[in-house]
């Protein structure tokens, strides 16, 4: 089978970040007056992490982005595009991606948000691939 075209882009590094405060489902259930295992039995969720009062979505994303850049061996100043999938932006404007851009020091990158709830990552990835493919001046890695 011959593929008629090839996208010259790939995921070279990934990153993740979880806020320090960990809250178990037993704690949430108890606070709601439910059996301690009620949430876990129904959802499979054992714990979740809560951002600190001074942390915004952009702070969490910037932490994960730094990990991804390190894993890929790329400097933030080399980024051409930041597409951030979120349904929990810092605020309506500027875009959370623009705040991530500033936190990373990615001054040359275009940055914008894609709001698509659970499918945000997939839509952001597809959007980034389409933009990079359609922009011949964008350097391929």
């Amino acid at each position: 089978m011959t593929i008629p075209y090839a996208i010259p882009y790939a995921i070279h590094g990934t990153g993740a970040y979880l806020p320090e405060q960990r809250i178990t489902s037993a704690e949430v259930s108890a606070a709601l007056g439910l059996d301690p295992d009620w949430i876990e039995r129904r959802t499979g969720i054992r714990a979740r992490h809560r951002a600190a009062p001074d942390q915004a979505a952009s702070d969490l994303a910037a932490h994960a982005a730094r990990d991804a850049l390190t894993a890929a061996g790329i400097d933030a100043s080399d980024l051409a595009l930041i597409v951030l999938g979120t349904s929990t932006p810092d605020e309506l404007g500027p875009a959370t991606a623009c705040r991530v851009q500033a936190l990373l020091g990615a001054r040359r990158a275009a940055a914008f948000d894609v709001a698509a709830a659970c499918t945000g990552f997939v839509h952001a990835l597809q959007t980034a691939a389409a933009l990079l493919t359609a922009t011949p001046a964008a350097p391929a890695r």
Side-chain angles (χ1 to χ4, degrees), residues 55-72:
Q55 283 182 314
S58 57
D59 297 313
L60 307 180
H63 277 287
R66 284 186 198 101
D67 283 354
L69 290 168
T70 298

Side-chain angles (χ1 to χ4, degrees), residues 20-141:
E20 289 183 29
Q21 186 180 11
R22 183 175 184 271
I23 303 165
T24 66
S25 289
E27 291 173 278
V28 174
S29 296
L32 297 172
L34 302 170
D35 176 58
D37 297 324
W38 190 87
I39 293 173
E40 190 174 334
R41 281 195 317 268
R42 284 164 178 73
T43 66
I45 298 170
R46 294 187 181 120
R48 72 267 311 130
H49 293 259
R50 179 184 295 166
D54 62 340
Q55 283 182 314
S58 57
D59 297 313
L60 307 180
H63 277 287
R66 284 186 198 101
D67 283 354
L69 290 168
T70 298
I74 298 171
D75 189 77
S77 63
D78 295 328
L79 292 177
L81 181 63
I82 298 172
V83 182
L84 188 139
T86 184
S87 59
T88 56
D90 290 358
E91 56 188 8
L92 293 178
T96 303
C98 293
R99 290 181 183 241
V100 172
Q101 175 193 33
L103 290 168
L104 295 177
R107 290 171 174 66
R108 296 178 2 176
F112 62 91
D113 294 353
V114 172
C118 296
T119 61
F121 170 76
V122 174
H123 286 339
L125 183 63
Q126 182 62 40
T127 300
L131 283 171
L132 291 171
T133 301
T135 309
R141 268 192 47 90

